[in-house]
Amino acid sequence: MITPEIVKFLQEEAQARFLRYVAVDTRSDEESSKSPSTPGQLVLARLLESELKQLPLRNVQLSDRGFLYGVLPASDGSKSPPLTFLAHFDTSPSESGAGVEPVIRENYDGGILRFPKNPELVLTPEEEPELLRFRGDTLITASGDTLLGADDKAGIAEIMAALAAMVRFPKLPHPELRIVLTPDEEIGRGTDGIDLSRLGTYGYTMDGGLVGELEDECFNAHKAVVLFKGRNIHPGYAKGKMINAAAIAARFIAALPEAESPEHTEKREGFFHMVELKGDENEARATLIIRDFEAAGNERRIELLRRQAAAFEVRYPGLQISPTITEQYRNMNEVLAKHPSLVDKARRAMAAAGVEVIRKAIRGGTDGARLCFMGMPTPNLFAGGMRFHSKTEWIPVSALTKASETILHLCRLWAEEGK
Ligand SMILES: [Zn+2]
């Protein structure tokens, strides 16, 4: 039973923790080869380490690669295998995360949001209709010169608040919880160096957006590097001799179906996306990413790329085209479909917390997807923030509380029902 007293406790804990965590600059850095990529992440990791010890959790350990682990033993009579909750402490490299000054906007009236440190910047309900769901609620934003960092410090605050509640109110039933807070998710290294022996049987990432989001699908992802080898010669005397690799590469890309590009696709549609094209007459290189929810969709695109390469070699005698295809990640639904009770319990936990469930397929990847294929089935739940990676990032305070409540309900369902 989650009493009004517990809800109030979660509300205060989650908000206070969230405001404490966003004050630390944890922007990750793709250019860095260190792990974690930036020292600020370790500052937050140490703060969280001491908070986990204070709760107290057991076996709290901050690894030298910046992964923070801790264990809360199961409550009496739990039937569940160990469960893991994950969130990441880095923020996106796309905006500054230094000197974040949160603005707390009580009793939101449905109007335009303005930002004290950036008079040009506004966020309107026309642009962001979801704002209107939260009339009367308290919203938190940054001040206009940084992102807020709700991605994913909201997730961390929600997990920490739920843990604090389980310690404070020992009647709340829960499985053994193996908590993992991770660095460098935003630069795709959030599972590199994770200690698999410290993970639970099943997991949940708290890293989604709008309240109610439940994500159990993501893209199948491939990368294609297409190398063009031509032949250069003085352009004045090139007739019948020159094979211009750069010009042919441009034609090759232009010949791909334009309708299958990110600019023209949504929902369950897949695409080709050219991320880089460079070269000269002798050699050119095009890098593409290929995405689809269905494995067959990507196979079809890879086949099309290979056939087009063969056709171009016929069209331009002497030209060599070699496509190199690598798999990046796979749709986690392949794994999660075999463990339906994970998503089913998440759905029921949200309903018990009074949250309307929004089933979604992520048009991208998540750490949960990688963990699914590393042996721990892990869907993604809402953390409640919106407009991630931008200066207009915002989160309703009620979302923090609802996510923490969802964690408590999930823990109860697992403890009572087992697998
Ligand atoms: Zn995130």
Side-chain angles (χ1 to χ4, degrees), residues 166-209:
M166 288 181 248
V167 172
R168 170 79 178 269
F169 304 96
K171 287 206 173 129
L172 288 168
H174 59 84
E176 179 184 324
L177 296 178
R178 300 185 182 172
I179 303 304
V180 188
L181 305 178
T182 63
D184 289 328
E185 188 269 353
E186 298 289 359
I187 55 172
R189 302 181 204 159
T191 54
D192 298 356
I194 199 166
D195 182 351
L196 296 175
S197 72
R198 300 201 61 150
L199 300 181
T201 309
Y202 302 106
Y204 294 93
T205 46
M206 301 299 296
D207 195 19

Side-chain angles (χ1 to χ4, degrees), residues 62-74:
L62 177 60
S63 81
D64 45 3
R65 298 191 64 168
F67 288 82
L68 180 58
Y69 305 94
V71 176
L72 185 67

Side-chain angles (χ1 to χ4, degrees), residues 88 90 151-152 185-186 206-208 388-389:
H88 63 93
D90 67 316
D151 178 13
D152 187 23
E185 188 269 353
E186 298 289 359
M206 301 299 296
D207 195 19
F388 284 175
H389 306 182

Side-chain angles (χ1 to χ4, degrees), residues 282-303:
N282 277 324
E283 195 171 294
R285 178 193 299 263
T287 307
L288 298 112
I289 59 171
I290 301 174
R291 300 288 187 262
D292 206 295
F293 290 104
E294 311 301 327
N298 270 5
E299 280 161 27
R300 177 184 63 76
R301 285 189 187 85
I302 290 165
E303 181 57 24

Side-chain angles (χ1 to χ4, degrees), residues 294-322:
E294 311 301 327
N298 270 5
E299 280 161 27
R300 177 184 63 76
R301 285 189 187 85
I302 290 165
E303 181 57 24
L304 187 144
L305 207 66
R306 291 193 197 282
R307 279 170 191 248
Q308 187 170 302
F312 266 62
E313 282 184 342
V314 173
R315 184 165 148 189
Y316 301 100
L319 172 77
Q320 286 174 23
I321 309 186
S322 20

